[in-house]
Amino acid sequence: MRQDNRLSCVLHVLLHMAEAGGPMTSEALARALNTNPVVVRRLMGGLREHGYVHSEKGHGGGWTLSCQLDQVTLRDIYEALDAPRLFAIGNRSVETECLVEEAVNHAMSGVLADVKAQLLARFGQITLAALHADFHQRLAERHAPATLCK
């Protein structure tokens, strides 16, 4: 099963946007992700609807942050992306007449629900500001210029 990396991609571009301090085009953000600008625009749509980013068309336009980094968590961004599936594993079928499968479903559903709750709670504890600070700490340790990914 293919991984859903939208959350990671969006977090990546949001940090680049925070560094830019001004509008960034879909093309510039796409270069950071090594993808197509259409992919960036699709990713940013949900964030715009939730008020985390804003876009301006035309010369000098692009995407800008519309939020405070310390007020937005990974969980907020996850939910703005319509809560992508977290796990590749799951029950074989939901509706079953097999008592063995019911027992398996019951055990797996309980564990997966517990783990999902823990993961989302942890996502709720990590702000974009914390990611931004981690980036700057890594930057200082490497004495490297802050540039877009290549």
Side-chain angles (χ1 to χ4, degrees):
M1 177 177 257
R2 195 165 168 238
Q3 287 184 333
D4 186 330
N5 63 8
R6 289 178 295 159
L7 179 59
S8 178
C9 288
V10 166
L11 295 171
H12 187 146
V13 297
L14 289 174
L15 292 183
H16 277 295
M17 291 168 65
E19 282 302 299
M24 289 189 73
T25 65
S26 297
E27 291 76 15
L29 293 171
R31 280 192 300 276
L33 293 175
N34 194 28
T35 193
N36 190 294
V38 173
V39 173
V40 170
R41 286 188 283 274
R42 228 180 286 138
L43 283 170
M44 302 299 268
L47 299 180
R48 180 177 37 216
E49 290 172 14
H50 283 83
Y52 299 129
V53 297
H54 177 75
S55 64
E56 289 287 333
K57 294 181 180 180
H59 182 69
W63 295 97
T64 54
L65 290 173
S66 304
C67 62
Q68 297 295 318
L69 297 181
D70 63 344
Q71 300 297 309
V72 181
T73 67
L74 273 62
R75 183 174 183 159
D76 296 328
I77 301 302
Y78 168 79
E79 290 172 353
L81 293 172
D82 293 327
R85 186 175 180 174
L86 291 172
F87 307 115
I89 59 173
N91 293 327
R92 190 176 73 86
S93 64
V94 179
E95 301 286 329
T96 183
E97 294 181 17
C98 176
L99 296 178
V100 170
E101 191 163 36
E102 280 184 24
V104 169
N105 287 356
H106 178 74
M108 287 189 52
S109 294
V111 170
L112 292 173
D114 290 348
V115 172
K116 181 178 180 179
Q118 291 174 11
L119 180 60
L120 292 178
R122 184 69 178 111
F123 277 178
Q125 295 171 348
I126 303 170
T127 64
L128 294 179
L131 294 181
H132 194 242
D134 184 38
F135 160 72
H136 278 277
Q137 180 180 344
R138 292 168 189 277
L139 188 66
E141 289 170 359
R142 294 186 186 155
H143 307 289
T147 60
L148 282 177
C149 301
K150 296 183 184 193

